[in-house]
């Protein structure tokens, strides 16, 4: 499978991508744990059908210490016993924030309250920004049909 266009060769997508990556760097410096960020990005990417990002965030989550068992169960997190209440709250927020068009009110007050029990304001802000950012990446990658499978943690995508 080949991408519809090379995002590095297009001036517009290259510049836009640089800014998205800069936003991701801000989130890396937040107090939200890397494993939580990766689980949230993986779940949103699964929902959006972004193979490129599923590949990336599965590998980055493993690199951040998330076990293979937990990675395999992210799509079924509600039934899995391997996630903490804090992780469940973050995954719920990610799902509702990603599927925002499926619910007239967007993220429910109940989901927000569950997340607020586990994360302080800065971490909640980082969660909101992480969910927003990964959805932007997913949508661009799906439209461009970026192929999945070759990502290596620690190397530029």
């Amino acid at each position: 499978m080949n991408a519809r266009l090379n995002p590095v060769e297009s001036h517009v997508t290259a510049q836009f991508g640089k800014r998205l990556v800069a936003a991701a760097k801000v989130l890396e410096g937040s107090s939200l744990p890397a494993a939580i960020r990766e689980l949230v990005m993986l779940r949103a990417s699964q929902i959006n059908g972004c193979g490129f990002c599923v590949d990336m965030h599965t590998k980055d989550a493993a690199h951040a210490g998330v076990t293979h068992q937990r990675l395999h169960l992210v799509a079924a997190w509600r039934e899995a016993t391997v996630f903490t209440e804090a992780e469940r709250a973050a995954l719920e927020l990610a799902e509702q924030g990603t599927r925002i068009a499926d619910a007239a009110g967007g993220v429910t007050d109940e989901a927000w309250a569950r997340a607020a029990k586990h994360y302080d304001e800065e971490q909640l802000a980082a969660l909101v920004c992480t969910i927003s950012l990964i959805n932007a990446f997913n949508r661009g990658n799906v439209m461009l049909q970026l192929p999945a499978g070759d990502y290596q943690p620690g190397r530029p995508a």
Side-chain angles (χ1 to χ4, degrees):
M1 175 181 198
N2 293 320
R4 289 180 166 152
L5 64 84
N6 185 331
V8 177
E9 291 177 2
S10 162
H11 175 73
V12 172
T13 55
Q15 292 303 308
F16 186 75
K18 282 183 185 179
R19 274 120 182 121
L20 291 178
V21 169
K25 295 285 185 205
V26 170
L27 297 171
E28 288 173 13
S30 77
S31 61
L32 188 65
I36 296 290
R37 284 194 322 272
E38 293 301 334
L39 289 171
V40 161
M41 290 188 286
L42 175 57
R43 184 62 191 127
S45 299
Q46 290 171 334
I47 292 166
N48 289 324
C50 182
F52 184 86
C53 289
V54 168
D55 179 44
M56 173 184 281
H57 296 295
T58 299
K59 291 172 180 174
D60 284 347
H63 191 72
V66 178
T67 66
H68 288 286
Q69 178 191 31
R70 289 163 40 84
L71 287 174
H72 294 301
L73 291 170
V74 167
W77 65 268
R78 283 181 178 80
E79 295 82 21
T81 60
V82 298
F83 298 104
T84 67
E85 287 303 312
E87 291 167 335
R88 289 173 177 285
L91 289 165
E92 180 180 33
L93 195 64
E95 282 192 2
Q96 289 189 14
T98 298
R99 292 184 166 138
I100 209 158
D102 296 345
V107 173
T108 65
D109 290 339
E110 295 80 12
W112 186 265
R114 280 188 284 280
K117 283 185 357 188
H118 301 284
Y119 303 100
D120 64 28
E121 274 197 27
E122 283 301 308
Q123 291 170 323
L124 285 168
L127 268 171
V128 168
C129 292
T130 298
I131 295 162
S132 300
L133 183 62
I134 192 59
N135 276 282
F137 272 120
N138 290 164
R139 281 152 175 75
N141 291 341
V142 168
M143 284 189 275
L144 295 179
Q145 295 184 343
L146 292 186
D150 295 330
Y151 177 75
Q152 298 290 320
R155 290 182 37 205

